[in-house]
Amino acid sequence: MAAKVPGSVLAASGLVGGYGVARWTRKRPLGGVVLAVAGAAAAQQWRERAGGKAAGALSVAYVAAFAGSHPLAKKVGAWPAVFGAAGAVALTSWAVADRRG
């Protein structure tokens, strides 16, 4: 089933879902598992659709969005920061990989 879900959706879901799981369970490592599994699935989609270099660059963008959402959250709030990061990664993923497929 994951093969039919675009990488942009997987990546955005990983960022939002990872934060949601960490927040609601109060177990940050569990949120990290969600983040990692979705990121790995997205990277596989990116590799299939756009090649290894694009998948590598998008994976870096995914991790950077996760890291960047933390300081942004101090300025705009946690959920807006997470949704902003997820939207940025999803848009970038669509532009680089998903619109090709």
Side-chain angles (χ1 to χ4, degrees):
M1 173 144 165
K4 295 181 182 179
V5 179
S8 56
V9 173
L10 291 168
S13 298
L15 289 164
V16 173
Y19 176 69
V21 167
R23 181 175 173 129
W24 289 313
T25 65
R26 298 183 189 258
K27 297 189 185 321
R28 291 179 73 174
L30 189 55
V33 169
V34 172
L35 181 78
V37 168
Q44 180 180 354
Q45 287 297 325
W46 295 329
R47 194 174 310 109
E48 290 174 5
R49 291 182 185 217
K53 287 183 181 182
L58 289 167
S59 295
V60 168
Y62 182 73
V63 173
F66 167 71
S69 69
H70 290 79
L72 182 60
K74 293 178 182 179
K75 296 180 186 254
V76 300
W79 280 112
V82 170
F83 285 128
V89 168
L91 181 61
T92 303
S93 173
W94 177 83
V96 172
D98 294 340
R99 71 179 175 164
R100 298 174 186 226

